[in-house]
Amino acid sequence: MSGFKEQLGKDLDQVWFSEAEEFWETHLIGGQPMRAVIDSDELRRRSARRVYAQRDGSADSGIYAARKLLMVRAAEFGTRPVIGSRLQLDRAYYRVSDIDAQAGLYLIELEALRS
């Protein structure tokens, strides 16, 4: 492992996911408590977006896409989730709409339709 990658791993442990809980919170993910970050800036920009309109365009259907960007350590999460699979986050179920692995992290984009 290169020095840079080693330093990234240390930063994950000592800064982002340290015991100080400055950046992360404990969430139930798939029924298991895990340290995770939910990107609230991304959440504000993407969530509660109206995604479906009636075919004639006269009014929307009132259905919204609730989206969350979940950041969790890959080592803590385990096997990389599959796009399209269901994932429980706290008390709600979401569909994994995208997944990216970066420097020991999974960035998991979740989506659920709500009315």
Side-chain angles (χ1 to χ4, degrees):
M1 187 181 270
S2 73
F4 178 71
K5 287 183 179 179
E6 286 178 15
Q7 187 58 48
L8 284 176
K10 288 179 186 176
D11 286 349
L12 281 178
D13 292 335
Q14 297 172 1
V15 178
W16 292 100
F17 291 95
S18 72
E19 296 302 317
E21 295 185 47
E22 290 181 53
F23 299 103
W24 60 272
E25 295 177 332
T26 300
H27 291 274
L28 286 177
I29 302 172
Q32 302 296 316
M34 289 185 208
R35 297 176 290 178
V37 176
I38 296 177
D39 188 329
S40 59
D41 291 333
E42 187 71 8
L43 176 64
R44 272 193 295 275
R45 189 170 68 229
R46 295 182 177 197
S47 70
R49 228 176 33 163
R50 293 178 189 241
V51 294
Y52 293 104
Q54 291 182 351
R55 291 178 193 240
D56 65 5
S58 62
D60 65 45
S61 66
I63 298 176
Y64 299 83
R67 296 184 179 189
K68 296 189 182 235
L69 182 63
L70 176 68
M71 291 179 270
V72 63
R73 293 188 62 221
E76 192 169 349
F77 188 89
T79 304
R80 182 180 173 144
V82 176
I83 292 174
S85 64
R86 240 172 75 139
L87 182 70
Q88 181 183 10
L89 174 61
D90 297 323
R91 296 180 185 180
Y93 286 91
Y94 295 86
R95 184 182 65 83
V96 175
S97 60
D98 197 15
I99 175 82
D100 190 14
Q102 297 180 5
L105 281 179
Y106 287 148
L107 284 79
I108 306 168
E109 188 174 324
L110 302 171
E111 179 180 69
L113 298 181
R114 307 271 193 252
S115 58

